[in-house]
Amino acid sequence: PELLYSLGNIMGRFDSALQDFSHPAAQRALKWNLQRAGWIRDYLDHIASPERRTLIERFLTYFETEIQPLLSGLRTSIIHNDANDYNVLVDDSADSSGMSRQVVSVIDFGDMVQSYTVGELAIAASYAMLDKADPLAAASAVVAGYHAAFPLTEAELSVLYALLCMRLCVSVVNSAYQQKIEPHNPYLTIS
C-alpha cells in the first residue's frame, strides 16, 4: 500500500507542477488519450470473446451516455498519460522512518498529451489494480497518494472510477486489435 500511495503521490505532484504548462505538441490525436476513448467502438469486433466484447460494449455505452456529459466540467492539463509499472522508478532502500519501496520518478514521456487531469490518476490506478487480490484497495492507495499531493475536485471524484474502467477498456480493445496485426509480438499482451 505504501508503494501504491507513493505512485499516486508522485503523479499528483507531477500534475500539480504541470497544471499551468501548455505546449502546442500536446494538442495531438493519441489513442491513449481518454478524451478520445470513443475510438474503441469501431474496433470491438477484434475482441474474440463474445463475453468480453459485450462487457466492453455495455461499459462504453454507459460511458458515452452517463459520463461523457459530465466531462466538460473537468480540469484539463498536460499529463504523463502512461504511469504503469514499466514507466516508474522505485527506490527500495529503507529511509529513516523505515519506509521502503517508494516511487521516485517516472520515465517514458512519449504519451504526454493534453487531457483530463484526473485521467492521470485513472491511468495510474488502472495499472496498479492489475493482478491484485484486492484491486479496489490498490486503487484506493493510489487515489489517496494523488489526492494528498494534488486535491481532486468533486466532479473529478464522481467520474474517476468510470475513467479508470475506460482506460482498461481501451487497453483491452487496443491489445486485441494489435494482436491481429502482429500476432507474434508478446509485448502487446502485457496488460
Side-chain angles (χ1 to χ4, degrees):
E2 294 85 9
L3 179 62
L4 295 173
Y5 181 93
S6 75
L7 170 63
N9 193 265
I10 202 157
M11 298 318 298
R13 290 185 299 163
F14 188 89
D15 287 347
S16 178
L18 289 179
Q19 68 181 333
D20 296 323
F21 176 73
S22 66
H23 193 280
Q27 307 295 329
R28 62 189 175 119
L30 181 68
K31 67 183 171 184
W32 296 108
N33 185 346
L34 286 171
Q35 287 183 323
R36 293 172 162 62
W39 72 265
I40 67 172
R41 182 163 297 285
D42 295 335
Y43 291 82
L44 293 175
D45 60 324
H46 294 285
I47 300 172
S49 164
E51 294 83 14
R52 283 187 181 188
R53 187 171 47 253
T54 299
L55 179 64
I56 290 175
E57 187 171 32
R58 191 176 322 132
F59 185 79
L60 180 56
T61 299
Y62 164 75
F63 186 82
E64 290 169 340
T65 60
E66 303 296 323
I67 302 302
Q68 259 182 331
L70 307 174
L71 299 178
S72 65
L74 300 181
R75 294 181 288 187
T76 62
S77 63
I78 294 176
I79 62 172
H80 180 270
N81 204 47
D82 199 17
N84 66 66
D85 49 339
Y86 290 92
N87 291 341
V88 298
L89 300 178
V90 175
D91 179 357
D92 65 356
S93 59
D95 66 15
S96 60
S97 67
M99 297 289 289
S100 62
R101 299 189 66 203
Q102 298 294 302
V103 174
V104 294
S105 190
V106 293
I107 59 172
D108 188 356
F109 299 92
D111 285 351
M112 286 184 78
V113 68
Q114 179 84 24
S115 191
Y116 308 119
T117 306
V118 71
E120 184 89 89
L121 175 57
I123 292 162
S126 69
Y127 285 114
M129 292 172 66
L130 295 177
D131 299 321
K132 298 291 189 299
D134 188 349
L136 292 179
S140 293
V142 178
V143 171
Y146 186 95
H147 186 67
F150 190 59
L152 297 160
T153 67
E154 288 293 325
E156 289 168 334
L157 284 169
S158 73
V159 299
L160 176 58
Y161 183 75
L163 287 170
L164 185 157
C165 291
M166 196 63 187
R167 176 57 177 235
L168 294 173
C169 290
V170 169
S171 292
V172 169
V173 172
N174 188 62
S175 178
Y177 173 67
Q178 292 295 325
Q179 281 180 312
K180 288 195 175 180
I181 294 172
E182 296 182 59
H184 302 294
N185 185 344
Y187 176 75
L188 301 175
T189 62
I190 288 174
S191 60

